[in-house]
Amino acid sequence: MQPTTSPYIEVRRSRIHGNGAYAKKDIPRGAIIIEYSGRKITKEESDSVYEEQRERHERDAENNGAVYIFELNKTWDIDGNVPWNTARYINHSCSPNAEAVNTGRRILIQAKRSIRKGEEITYNYGYDIDSYEDHPCRCGSPRCVGYIVDEDDWPKLRRMQKKKKRRGFWKRLFR
Ligand SMILES: [Zn+2]
């Protein structure tokens, strides 16, 4: 399979993590930048692939992004960790300029706002909050919440972190 291409992006070393996708030219808001392609897998397969990718990431986070699985619909997920999926180089950010849009058949990366030539393309990976501590974020954005978590869950994340801090306080007090 030939790697997917887009007139809008080029892949090079990223300041956020590993390689990243950069705007090769100005991208208008709403433009479809590239498809997030991959292997269609069943939910069952998805669980084991998830574990595998998570472990690999833990062993060598510099060379292995975290998890490349997207939920497509009730039956299928997409494993984007395949050599032809150029969109896998797109990094996560807490203030992204693009977003992943699920049409039920395909995952498309779409510009959330107009993007200038040379900007790094990012979207929110939308990870589940349950295992947030496995996915620290170093996107460098002023809005960074410290973890790769779906924006809908940010209020919940803040509550969880506050609770944790309080617990730490009591532990220190009574040691
Ligand atoms: Zn961040």
Side-chain angles (χ1 to χ4, degrees), residues 7 19 24 40-41 64 72 86 113-114 133 156:
N19 282 317
K24 212 153 75 173
K40 252 178 156 183
I41 53 176
N64 296 294
L72 191 58
T86 305
R113 56 164 172 81
S114 60
E133 282 168 311
K156 203 170 160 194

Side-chain angles (χ1 to χ4, degrees), residues 57 132-138 146-148:
H57 176 69
Y132 77 92
E133 282 168 311
D134 292 342
H135 308 293
C137 180
R138 295 176 197 92
Y147 295 94
I148 300 180

Side-chain angles (χ1 to χ4, degrees), residues 3-4 15 17 22 36 44 47 51 62 82 85-86 95 99 101 115 129 132 140 146 153 159 161 164 167 173 175:
T4 50
R15 260 186 287 168
H17 179 268
Y22 285 81
Y36 190 95
E44 215 180 1
D47 290 338
E51 274 310 309
E62 184 50 37
V82 295
N85 177 28
T86 305
S95 53
E99 62 191 332
V101 178
I115 300 171
I129 195 161
Y132 77 92
D153 284 334
R159 282 198 299 276
Q161 284 174 303
K164 224 175 87 186
R167 262 206 311 268
L173 206 62
R175 198 163 45 196

Side-chain angles (χ1 to χ4, degrees), residues 92-95 136-141 143-148 154:
H92 163 92
S93 168
C94 297
S95 53
C137 180
R138 295 176 197 92
C139 72
S141 128
R143 289 180 77 206
C144 184
V145 294
Y147 295 94
I148 300 180
W154 285 6

Side-chain angles (χ1 to χ4, degrees), residues 55-77:
E55 276 167 27
R56 216 179 312 150
H57 176 69
E58 254 163 43
R59 281 199 307 270
D60 181 9
E62 184 50 37
N63 293 309
N64 296 294
V67 176
Y68 295 90
I69 298 170
F70 256 103
E71 171 154 14
L72 191 58
N73 52 44
K74 281 199 185 112
T75 321
W76 299 101
D77 285 351

